[in-house]
Amino acid sequence: MRILSRYLIREFLKFFLAATAGFVVIFYVIDVLDRMSDLVRYRAPLGASVLYFLFKVPQVIFYVMPVSVLVATLFVLSILSKDNEILALRSSGVSVHRFVAPLILLSLGLSAFAFLNNEFVVPAGNARSEEIWKVQVKREYNDVFFRRDKFWYRSEHAIYNILSFDYLRKTLGRITIYRMGPGFRPIGRVDALKGQWKDGRWHFYDVVARDFLSDGSARVRSQKEMVIDLPETPESFKVIAPDPDTFSYAQLERYVKKLERDGYDVTKYLVDLQAKLSTPLISFLSCLIAIPFALRTSRAGQRPLGIFFAIAIASAYWFLLAYSLAFGHKGTLTPMAAAWIPNLILLGVGGLLLVNVEQ
């Protein structure tokens, strides 16, 4: 049985690596074509363009791994079934569940690899890729700085230091505005606990405003609520909304705890935090859903139909996951339910089909 396990794993890895390489190439062809107009418009240096795409490789691998596992599982088992090797195993008294156990364990290992990749490699790669795109390609120097615990945003007449920004709710958390006059000279400072975009204007709460006078002194005003007309709108600050893909799980958890201590709504980030735990398991679930369909179609005419149904179920899962996370971000589902319900459904379907496979 050990020889059969090694053979199965070797054949699976051949298909998996080939599928991963193919899907990565397809992804980059689409991405390059999508970015080409911007690369030409900004006259991006060739070196910066290559580095931008190179640093995205870990994220791309994370995206394509579940599909590669699904394809590799379907192909390797379908070929074995076509060559009657599965039938020979059954005739020899070898349990099908025992035969495919190495694939299930290998898919769990690939899910663990996906988590480690997403925890330690992807965030750094995405952050570096984003920096190259903004600074070396689009040349947006010094407009936005992000250092995990705060954002700096510079406009023509002010510099903003912002702890958090929720684009959906149009709210800013713990803001400091350094107002600038002619020659970019400081003329005032505004500190507020919260900012809310209402009726086309910014409403700030628990405000301390300082006006810097020409004699070097400052006039201080404190108000519970203050309406300040700023040229920036929520669309202006959209670029500073933190991207969970640039965080590891540990970094995002620390960020969420800091926002919670300050009393801000962290529902969206709690969903993203749970998703960092649930999404790496998609590789395992892809293998689990593919095995029954590859094994249940013993007749040649049924194999394409079985493969079609496996891919259809996997595609339905991706749509379910996207909608579930969206409902979680809106607060309709709890963060844990939003991130884990799709996995539990696919686990239930795959497990039920696998248990009922003919031995």
Side-chain angles (χ1 to χ4, degrees):
M1 192 62 195
R2 192 172 298 174
I3 296 176
L4 289 174
S5 297
R6 288 201 298 267
Y7 171 73
L8 184 62
I9 290 173
R10 184 175 67 250
E11 293 302 308
F12 172 87
L13 289 176
K14 287 180 182 178
F15 284 108
F16 172 75
L17 293 175
T20 299
F23 287 130
V24 168
V25 170
I26 293 172
F27 184 97
Y28 271 114
V29 168
I30 296 173
D31 198 24
V32 169
L33 292 176
D34 183 55
R35 298 279 185 177
M36 186 59 68
S37 59
D38 287 334
L39 294 173
V40 173
R41 180 172 60 181
Y42 294 112
R43 298 180 181 177
L46 178 60
S49 302
V50 171
L51 286 176
Y52 166 74
F53 290 110
L54 185 62
F55 279 111
K56 293 179 68 175
V57 169
Q59 178 77 85
V60 176
I61 291 176
F62 180 80
Y63 285 152
V64 305
M65 273 184 61
V67 187
S68 299
V69 170
L70 179 73
V71 170
T73 305
L74 288 171
F75 271 75
V76 70
L77 292 181
S78 295
I79 290 174
L80 291 176
S81 179
K82 178 183 177 182
D83 294 337
N84 294 319
E85 294 182 60
I86 300 294
L87 180 61
L89 286 171
R90 284 171 170 160
S91 301
S92 302
V94 177
S95 167
V96 171
H97 293 156
R98 174 66 182 88
F99 176 66
V100 299
L103 286 185
I104 296 176
L105 293 176
L106 181 58
S107 66
L108 281 171
L110 290 173
S111 289
F113 169 79
F115 174 79
L116 294 175
N117 177 44
N118 201 38
E119 181 71 8
F120 298 107
V121 184
V122 170
N126 284 343
R128 184 74 178 108
S129 179
E130 184 178 345
E131 180 184 353
I132 291 172
W133 182 259
K134 289 182 177 179
V135 176
Q136 298 186 40
V137 176
K138 298 180 70 175
R139 297 177 175 84
E140 295 178 350
Y141 298 105
N142 301 325
D143 287 331
V144 181
F145 296 93
F146 173 50
R147 292 294 181 270
R148 300 290 178 216
D149 59 343
K150 59 186 177 181
F151 306 92
W152 291 91
Y153 179 91
R154 191 186 78 173
S155 68
E156 187 177 352
H157 302 293
I159 296 176
Y160 299 83
N161 179 213
I162 303 167
L163 175 65
S164 66
F165 172 58
D166 188 332
Y167 179 73
L168 293 177
R169 295 176 175 83
K170 306 295 189 292
T171 59
L172 298 167
R174 198 173 292 281
I175 319 101
T176 298
I177 305 173
Y178 299 92
R179 295 164 44 229
M180 299 296 174
F184 217 64
R185 181 180 60 84
I187 60 173
R189 169 175 168 166
V190 176
D191 294 275
L193 186 64
K194 179 182 176 181
Q196 178 75 55
W197 179 261
K198 295 192 299 187
D199 303 322
R201 305 177 77 185
W202 284 109
H203 295 248
F204 292 96
Y205 302 91
D206 295 324
V207 183
V208 176
R210 298 174 177 84
D211 298 317
F212 300 147
L213 305 179
S214 57
D215 60 2
S217 61
R219 182 173 64 242
V220 181
R221 295 168 291 154
S222 299
Q223 293 181 215
K224 278 293 182 182
E225 181 178 352
M226 181 183 296
V227 177
I228 302 178
D229 291 315
L230 300 172
E232 284 71 36
T233 67
E235 290 294 331
S236 304
F237 294 122
K238 189 175 182 180
V239 295
I240 68 171
D243 182 0
D245 287 340
T246 62
F247 287 82
S248 67
Y249 178 88
Q251 291 168 337
L252 185 57
E253 185 180 38
R254 287 195 296 269
Y255 181 66
V256 168
K257 287 181 177 179
K258 182 172 183 177
L259 292 181
E260 281 184 316
R261 285 197 302 268
D262 290 333
Y264 298 111
D265 185 3
V266 294
T267 301
K268 177 182 183 301
Y269 300 122
L270 287 174
V271 174
D272 296 328
L273 195 64
Q274 288 296 321
K276 284 189 174 292
L277 296 177
S278 65
T279 51
L281 286 172
I282 302 176
S283 292
F284 162 68
L285 296 173
S286 296
C287 178
L288 195 66
I289 204 68
I291 289 173
F293 285 101
L295 294 178
R296 288 168 70 91
T297 54
S298 56
R299 289 182 296 179
Q302 293 179 329
R303 292 188 194 108
L305 187 62
I307 292 174
F308 169 78
F309 277 119
I311 295 174
I313 291 177
S315 301
Y317 165 82
W318 283 105
F319 282 107
L320 178 61
L321 178 63
Y323 278 106
S324 182
L325 293 178
F327 283 129
H329 289 156
K330 293 179 180 179
T332 306
L333 293 175
T334 64
M336 185 166 291
W340 288 98
I341 282 179
N343 282 18
L344 293 176
I345 292 175
L346 196 63
L347 178 64
V349 172
L352 183 63
L353 292 173
L354 185 59
V355 168
N356 289 297
V357 167
E358 182 183 352
Q359 294 297 305

